[in-house]
Amino acid sequence: MNILLRLYKQDSTNIAAVSNLAYRYGEMGNYAEAVRFCNRVIALSEPDDDMALGLAYSNRSYARSQSGDARGGLADAEKSIGYYPGNSYVY
């Protein structure tokens, strides 16, 4: 986690670092930070980067659902499937 945070501090546009931070915060149960980093990935991603967007929406779906926002989680799951239907984690 420290390595990811250092990478992010050096380059806050590093999508790999931001995406991994979003995932790790979700795993740790810090859903607000997970959502914040997912939002950052979505903002940084190219519009045609279906995999990055699909994974970001999938991760945000999980974080939102776990934090009690079931409707938001479902909406993000649907967006994730639209971008990256091969991501089995979203189903």
Side-chain angles (χ1 to χ4, degrees):
M1 186 74 164
N2 290 335
I3 292 170
L4 291 172
L5 288 169
R6 276 194 312 230
L7 283 171
Y8 177 71
K9 286 179 183 178
Q10 289 174 358
D11 180 6
S12 64
T13 64
N14 183 326
I15 291 178
V18 177
S19 182
N20 279 291
L21 281 166
Y23 179 80
R24 292 291 295 135
Y25 277 117
E27 278 190 332
M28 293 173 13
N30 188 338
Y31 304 121
E33 282 298 289
V35 167
R36 184 173 77 87
F37 279 101
C38 287
N39 291 341
R40 183 85 175 127
V41 173
I42 292 164
L44 290 171
S45 295
E46 295 292 328
D48 62 346
D49 192 347
D50 292 346
M51 183 180 283
L53 288 165
L55 291 173
Y57 280 110
S58 175
N59 289 334
R60 194 171 78 175
S61 169
Y62 173 78
R64 291 173 83 178
S65 296
Q66 293 298 309
S67 64
D69 182 7
R71 288 180 197 252
L74 181 59
D76 282 345
E78 290 172 349
K79 286 181 183 177
S80 177
I81 291 167
Y83 282 109
Y84 185 30
N87 179 11
S88 62
Y89 290 105
V90 77
Y91 292 98

